[in-house]
Amino acid sequence: MNRRIDIKRNFPLHLMLLPGVALVLVYSYWPMAGLVLAFQKFNIASFSHGGYFASPFVGFDNFKYVFGMPEFPRVLWNTIFIASMKIVAGTIAPIMFALLLNEVAKIWLKRIVQTVTYLPYFLSWVILGGIISDILASDGLVNQFLAWLHLEPVFFMGDNRVFPYMLVATDLWKSTGFNTIIYLAALTAINPSLYEAAVIDGANRWKQTLHVTLPGMMPIIVLLGTLSLGDILNAGFEQIFVLYNPVVFQSGDIIDTFNYRIGLLGAKYDIGTAIGLFKSCVSLVMVSVSYALASKFANYRIF
């Protein structure tokens, strides 16, 4: 009886869920039928007559072809290298910035700094890519400043040694301010009496940060750090697609951009699907591992 009452009471809420469920089914689950292309020798002519299952099945031949491509090890390494740097830097930088903002006594100054650092996050990489390209060009603002210091100019957009680190730096510029929000929220949850006790014990600001602030933030740091493992193969397609060029393919080409050229520009849809499925499987494993670690070390559970 109580169950019927609950269903009747929550029925409007279930109706509100229907549009969202329909969108997920249509745009997220139905297209997954196309994953069958990864195991076929896809023929677009036969697809137009028989659908997904008209092309001949070749088993794991597409995956063997992908793993045997001479460029694939380099692309995989670039993806892991850039993504790992972004994960590490994207975890440390917001923490440091949140700690610095927490020390600003003037509320009006704190709000101005927050607003200025948040702004890049709300701009697309198309817009930021043009700005970054102008600033880091051979005759751009940065190289003009280096010339003023009598230093050699740096070819940021065409030097394979510099390009990956430029990607990480510009990604931090875009995301650090916004990612700081959650750490500032964690700071507000720390009991003020702990700081009062630390002052009585003679702790200065650095000691308070080391022994009160950081331990108070540690659960959220561990949680976000472990959950970020799921992005180990997400090096940022939009950013790299806007900023890279054939000169820096050696250090800047990642799985997503490689798949774009092979699958879409090269019209090898079966190979592109195999690459995408490989990435999804690795991401699924890493997400599962990250949630297991988050549950163990941060007591975080979805269900």
Side-chain angles (χ1 to χ4, degrees), residues 34-180:
L35 293 177
V36 72
L37 269 63
F39 306 96
Q40 295 177 330
K41 184 65 177 179
F42 180 69
N43 188 333
I44 195 168
S46 60
F47 177 81
S48 61
H49 293 90
Y52 283 123
F53 301 97
S55 299
F57 281 83
V58 294
F60 290 94
D61 287 356
N62 290 329
F63 293 93
K64 294 177 182 178
Y65 176 80
V66 170
F67 297 148
M69 297 177 75
E71 312 98 306
F72 188 75
R74 171 178 54 81
V75 169
L76 182 61
W77 165 250
N78 290 342
T79 304
I80 296 175
F81 180 62
I82 295 173
S84 299
M85 287 197 298
K86 286 185 175 181
I87 290 173
V88 173
T91 301
I92 296 175
I95 295 172
M96 296 178 62
F97 190 57
L99 293 175
L100 291 174
L101 276 179
N102 191 52
E103 298 298 321
V104 177
K106 302 290 185 180
I107 300 298
W108 62 269
L109 179 59
K110 186 176 182 179
R111 290 177 178 174
I112 290 175
V113 173
Q114 284 181 290
T115 303
V116 171
T117 53
Y118 290 172
L119 284 177
Y121 182 84
F122 298 100
L123 299 177
S124 70
W125 274 114
V126 176
I127 297 173
L128 288 179
I131 296 173
I132 293 169
S133 297
D134 288 339
I135 294 175
L136 300 181
S138 56
D139 58 347
L141 185 63
V142 174
N143 277 317
Q144 289 181 17
F145 180 70
L146 292 177
W148 182 72
L149 295 176
H150 303 288
L151 298 175
E152 290 293 326
V154 179
F155 194 15
F156 293 98
M157 311 300 290
D159 190 337
N160 281 294
R161 297 171 300 176
V162 177
F163 188 74
Y165 304 100
M166 184 273 292
L167 293 175
V168 176
T170 52
D171 182 71
L172 285 179
W173 174 47
K174 185 179 191 296
S175 61
T176 297
F178 187 82
N179 292 340
T180 303

